[in-house]
Amino acid sequence: ANTVIGAGVVMGQDCIIDSNVTLAYSLLGDRVAICAGARVGQDGFGFAPGPDKHLKVPQLGRVIIEDDVEIGANTAIDRGSGPDTVIGAGTKIDNLVQIAHNVTLGRNCFVAAQVGISGSTKIGNFVIFGGQAGLAGHLHIGDGARIGAKSGVMSDIEIGATVGGFPARPLKEWLRGIAVLRRIALKKVK
């Protein structure tokens, strides 16, 4: 009900598209599942400052969703502005996730609810995102990286690294910082 399969959409075998989904300019592999309310292939946030007003940058790319991907309810995946936005095979995306234009998300990633990935970020395979993590644009996230919930990622992350906090840094370093702040706060109270 109320699903729109728009221009430039090609779907593979055994796809499941729920109600209130909008698809445009997308290539879906086999066994892709898209939950209710998702928007895939819409224009990204592409603007350039002009002397008198902001100018819209044409969004000409597609969204390529490989086999066995699941996309949660009310998630938005923007089409590429030139290069395509790519979601790798086996990746699982929770509800309310925003994936901006030109993002490449590797194979078998887990993306928890309310994660936001800014444009042109390149993400490796088997990366795990905790809920509400946010990534700046044009980053490189290595294979197997783990990003803690509510982390603010503002720089590249190495292969296999585990990070947390804002700005995101190695998890043990962030946890030590929290412990030090707690000890300082408790001393001030006494």
Side-chain angles (χ1 to χ4, degrees), residues 115 128-134 145-153 157 161-165 168-169 171 174:
V115 166
I128 298 173
F129 296 87
Q132 295 185 335
R146 293 174 300 254
I147 299 168
K150 293 189 176 237
S151 295
V153 180
I157 297 176
T162 299
V163 300
R169 53 196 174 274
L171 187 64
W174 176 59

Side-chain angles (χ1 to χ4, degrees), residues 38-103:
R39 304 289 182 251
V40 178
Q42 314 309 304
D43 279 0
F45 190 67
F47 296 92
D52 299 322
K53 63 180 182 174
H54 300 305
L55 306 171
K56 185 159 179 61
V57 175
Q59 307 288 287
L60 304 173
R62 305 167 295 178
V63 176
I64 298 175
I65 301 173
E66 296 179 353
D67 296 344
D68 303 305
V69 169
E70 295 188 24
I71 298 169
N74 296 314
T75 286
I77 302 174
D78 298 339
R79 71 189 286 201
S81 62
D84 296 324
T85 300
V86 179
I87 309 298
T91 289
K92 309 304 181 200
I93 300 170
D94 199 358
N95 302 332
L96 297 166
V97 171
Q98 162 62 28
I99 299 175
H101 59 271
N102 308 338
V103 167

Side-chain angles (χ1 to χ4, degrees), residues 9 18 27 29 34 88 97 125 129 139 151 166 171 173 177 188:
V9 175
D18 253 343
L27 304 179
I34 302 179
V97 171
N125 302 317
F129 296 87
L139 299 179
S151 295
F166 185 87
L171 187 64
E173 177 185 322
K188 299 279 186 189

Side-chain angles (χ1 to χ4, degrees), residues 3 38 116 133 161:
T3 288

Side-chain angles (χ1 to χ4, degrees), residues 148-159:
K150 293 189 176 237
S151 295
V153 180
M154 299 165 55
S155 59
D156 294 348
I157 297 176
E158 295 178 12
I159 293 170

